[in-house]
Amino acid sequence: MSVSGRRGRRPAAVLACAALLLTGVLSGCSGSSSSGSSGPSGRAGASRPAGTPAPSATPDDAYRRWGLDKPLAAPPAPPAKKPVATAGPGGTPPIVRRIPTNDKVVFITIDDGAEKDPEFVKMAQDLKLPFSMFLTDDIARAGSGYGYFDRLRALGNGVHNHTLSHPNLRTLSADAQRREICGQQDALEKRFGTRPALFRPPYGNYNDATLTAAGGCGVRAVVLWEVTMQINDMRYQDGDKLRPGDIVLAHFRGPGELKGTSMTKMVTNMLRSIQRQGYTVARLEDYL
Ligand SMILES: [Zn+2]
């Protein structure tokens, strides 16, 4: 995998911090170098906005803590030109199941928003795991509410639209679909200050009215998936292994829905499978 772009800037910073450590002066070495473990470790794929918290451990330690045998490889630099053309204002959004790329990357998407496991926030932070969230208002709002997703968003992960109440849109009138989709566009914009660019219809069910409604309220692309995360491994729509650019569907779920398995364990299983197949995880919004 090529070392370029954002990734290429890290070694200098690491060396600088290592030098400061040797002279007993440590300041300004945020995040991964704070315990003195140096080296070009960790993942550079997650661009963390300025001012967000540093990881709680060095990436070298972190991957082991979360059950991985090796760190996730840094993804290649994002493509200069995004390989999918999204809709212009008011245009009909394209349906995207997979990103056309030769990069050995896949994209993690996590839906609904039921489980709000604080351990997953730590995991996402430690591993700098990029993923995109598709939130349903009724489900995400329950319990401790959207605040949980603020924390994941602060790590650089995008929040997108998965309707107000998770209906099968194909059973609804055009007006009702518009209320479900545009209502959640408005709710998420009000809550997070950004109008989502991406929309995922519940169950992957949509029709022409869905696309018209979504395009009409600012959706730039409809995102489906090629691979589904199960509790222990992945299920493929096509074939029996990952392909470059696959979009992986997972859910915010906890032990009640995962036969006792925690969300973090499920994600570990997913990441181990991704690594075993020679892939790493990139950020969907960098390609779409
Ligand atoms: Zn859903």
Side-chain angles (χ1 to χ4, degrees):
M1 185 171 296
S2 67
V3 175
S4 59
R6 293 176 297 178
R7 176 74 177 144
R9 294 201 299 271
R10 290 181 69 87
V14 169
L15 287 173
C17 288
L20 287 167
L21 279 168
L22 286 171
T23 56
V25 178
L26 180 61
S27 63
C29 296
S30 63
S32 61
S33 298
S34 58
S35 76
S37 169
S38 62
S41 55
R43 303 198 51 260
S47 44
R48 198 170 57 236
T52 55
S56 58
T58 69
D60 276 346
D61 296 328
Y63 72 86
R64 286 194 200 94
R65 177 180 329 141
W66 298 107
L68 302 181
D69 300 325
K70 57 182 181 181
L72 279 176
K81 182 176 187 302
K82 293 186 179 183
V84 178
T86 54
T92 302
I95 295 156
V96 182
R97 299 170 190 274
R98 190 163 161 245
I99 299 292
T101 177
N102 294 321
D103 295 342
K104 290 208 77 177
V105 296
V106 298
F107 304 94
I108 294 176
T109 60
I110 313 181
D111 282 14
D112 302 350
E115 176 75 1
K116 299 171 179 74
D117 182 351
E119 286 296 298
F120 179 65
V121 179
K122 288 186 206 160
M123 180 188 208
Q125 189 171 17
D126 281 348
L127 297 180
K128 299 189 177 68
L129 179 67
F131 55 89
S132 306
M133 298 172 270
F134 289 85
L135 300 183
T136 293
D137 192 58
D138 280 359
I139 301 172
R141 193 181 290 282
S144 57
Y146 278 116
Y148 177 77
F149 304 100
D150 273 329
R151 297 166 65 196
L152 295 173
R153 191 169 174 272
L155 301 175
N157 301 302
V159 168
H160 302 286
N161 185 339
H162 195 44
T163 72
L164 286 174
S165 70
H166 212 273
N168 175 356
L169 292 170
R170 281 208 296 250
T171 66
L172 300 187
S173 68
D175 271 353
Q177 291 201 44
R178 198 173 302 116
R179 281 194 294 277
E180 281 285 342
I181 300 167
C182 300
Q184 180 66 334
Q185 285 290 93
D186 295 342
L188 292 176
E189 182 175 15
K190 191 169 171 209
R191 180 62 181 73
F192 295 104
T194 308
R195 200 158 180 82
L198 308 178
F199 169 68
R200 172 172 282 159
Y203 318 105
N205 286 346
Y206 65 93
N207 56 21
D208 288 347
T210 312
L211 303 182
T212 303
C217 56
V219 169
R220 312 297 292 270
V222 171
V223 177
L224 300 181
W225 61 90
E226 282 287 313
V227 180
T228 310
M229 181 61 215
Q230 308 295 296
I231 296 172
N232 293 309
D233 208 343
M234 302 205 262
R235 190 175 65 210
Y236 307 91
Q237 306 260 16
D238 186 9
D240 59 1
K241 58 182 191 298
L242 293 171
R243 294 174 301 169
D246 273 346
I247 295 171
V248 181
L249 166 66
H251 292 88
F252 288 98
R253 284 182 178 156
E257 294 165 301
L258 298 175
K259 297 183 178 159
T261 298
S262 66
M263 169 115 184
T264 54
K265 186 73 175 68
M266 178 196 73
V267 172
T268 295
N269 292 340
M270 172 164 59
L271 296 177
R272 288 173 70 96
S273 179
I274 290 168
Q275 287 185 316
R276 209 163 44 232
Q277 297 186 55
Y279 287 79
T280 193
V281 184
R283 188 177 297 290
L284 182 62
E285 291 85 348
D286 286 342
Y287 286 70
L288 181 60

